[in-house]
Amino acid sequence: MRTVVSFEYQGQQTFLKIDAATVEIANMGDQLPVPLPAPAGTLVAYGQTLRQLLLGHPQVQEGLNAVLAAPTGTPPGPLYFRMVSPSADAMPWEQIYNDRTGSFCALDQRWPIGRIAKIRQKVAARAFVPPLRVTAVLSALGAEGKNQLDALVAALSSPKASAIATHLHVISGEREVLDGAAAHHGRLSGGTLEITFAPMPGTTPELAHSITSARPHLLHLLCHGEAAQAGERILGFATVGDFLAPKDEEPHPVRLALSHLVQALAPCGTWLVVLNACATANAVESRSLAHELVSKGIPAVAGMRRAVDIVSADRFCKALYPEVIAAVVTAAAPTGEPREIDWAAAFTSPRLVLAADDPETIDTWTDPVLYAQDEPLLVYRGSPRLSPAAYAELRGYLDFWREYEAGLDPDTTDPARLAQVRQRIAETEAQLPEEEPK
């Protein structure tokens, strides 16, 4: 069960309250004004300051003391912070320190930390019809994407992932990534992981269409966060021409604004978006891109609070996706009952990797930030009687395969590859009922 602390505001003043706890609390919801201290001192000292700030509120203190007393081996009891106050959202709450254990909460599997978006949206339960669809757009000029491709392939082809079957669709302007995807496809052909790939389109509408047509459950983006334009946050993706051009030539990336990404994902029923791009969770000047995406209806979005180097981004990706796959496999077990996926627990292991055994001086582990809706994401294994939404999602996935086949040259494509694509079309057609559900 989640413990949820909320930061709201009136004028320039931030108010603190507790919205949900693992114990009954009298007068839950009472608000108190709180000062927000600027980061200062060591990581531990500031983490202690954040904890003391929270404990200054009697009801929050009661809720936190209940969850932070959990003994070793206890299942995760996530701590969530609902970020209505922009000033509070700009602070590194992932850094909270637990004096009882002498450790940071976010580095202990008992207390994963996430944030809840300001604007509440209804989160419909997702019917899951295998395979798990992952779309990875790996196209950041100056940041090689091959390591993240390899990490995704390793997680999606693992024995754990074989329980649900997986499909990785790769989009990139980088030749090494596309060649790597082709090599992985050849090596893993016939297994439970399907790999498809396509070069980075040259325009924003084409990129948005490519994302929509793949119908991703999980969307992973390696790109550059750019300055806002007309008040809207922007992601920049390098084209094939950008990677081939001389280094001193001005690049011409495909720019995907927040509204474009929201529209692209609207028909997809996407579960999680990972923005492995700099400052996509930076809320200093305004709500971050990750925060805004959740406010627009995506159930959960992870971003980076600050600029991150590609080595750290690669390590984060490699550590994250085995945890993500484990969460999906557990939730998508064929029980017939919806099961919750709480993505916050998947971030503990990647944070530990980024901490590099020195979390008190290396603060890279605080950079990944998860935003989610206050309603949990429920997933259940789809039945023969698909809901209209699940039917539309699966029908869109069939269109992806038909479009993919249309893009293959029958004279130059390996006949075995063509046969495999046509088999996927037939398999997807077989999953659809004869009539669209009403």
Coordinates of all heavy atoms in Angstrom, one line a residue, residues 62 66 204 284 400:
E62 N 3.1 10.5 11.7 CA 2.4 9.2 12.0 C 2.5 8.3 10.9 O 2.8 7.1 11.0 CB 1.0 9.5 12.5 CG 0.4 8.3 13.2 CD -1.0 8.6 13.8 OE1 -1.3 9.8 14.0 OE2 -1.7 7.6 14.1
A66 N 5.0 4.8 10.6 CA 4.4 3.5 10.4 C 5.1 2.8 9.3 O 5.5 1.6 9.4 CB 2.9 3.6 10.1
T204 N 8.2 15.3 -38.1 CA 7.5 15.1 -36.8 C 6.2 14.2 -37.0 O 6.0 13.2 -36.2 CB 7.1 16.4 -36.1 OG1 8.3 17.1 -35.8 CG2 6.3 16.2 -34.9
V284 N 12.3 23.0 -12.3 CA 12.8 24.3 -11.7 C 12.0 25.5 -12.3 O 11.5 26.3 -11.6 CB 14.3 24.5 -11.9 CG1 14.7 25.9 -11.4 CG2 15.0 23.4 -11.1
F400 N 0.1 -2.4 -37.8 CA 1.5 -2.2 -37.7 C 2.2 -3.3 -38.6 O 3.1 -3.0 -39.4 CB 2.0 -2.3 -36.3 CG 3.5 -2.5 -36.2 CD1 4.4 -1.4 -36.3 CD2 4.1 -3.8 -36.0 CE1 5.8 -1.6 -36.2 CE2 5.5 -3.9 -35.9 CZ 6.3 -2.8 -36.0

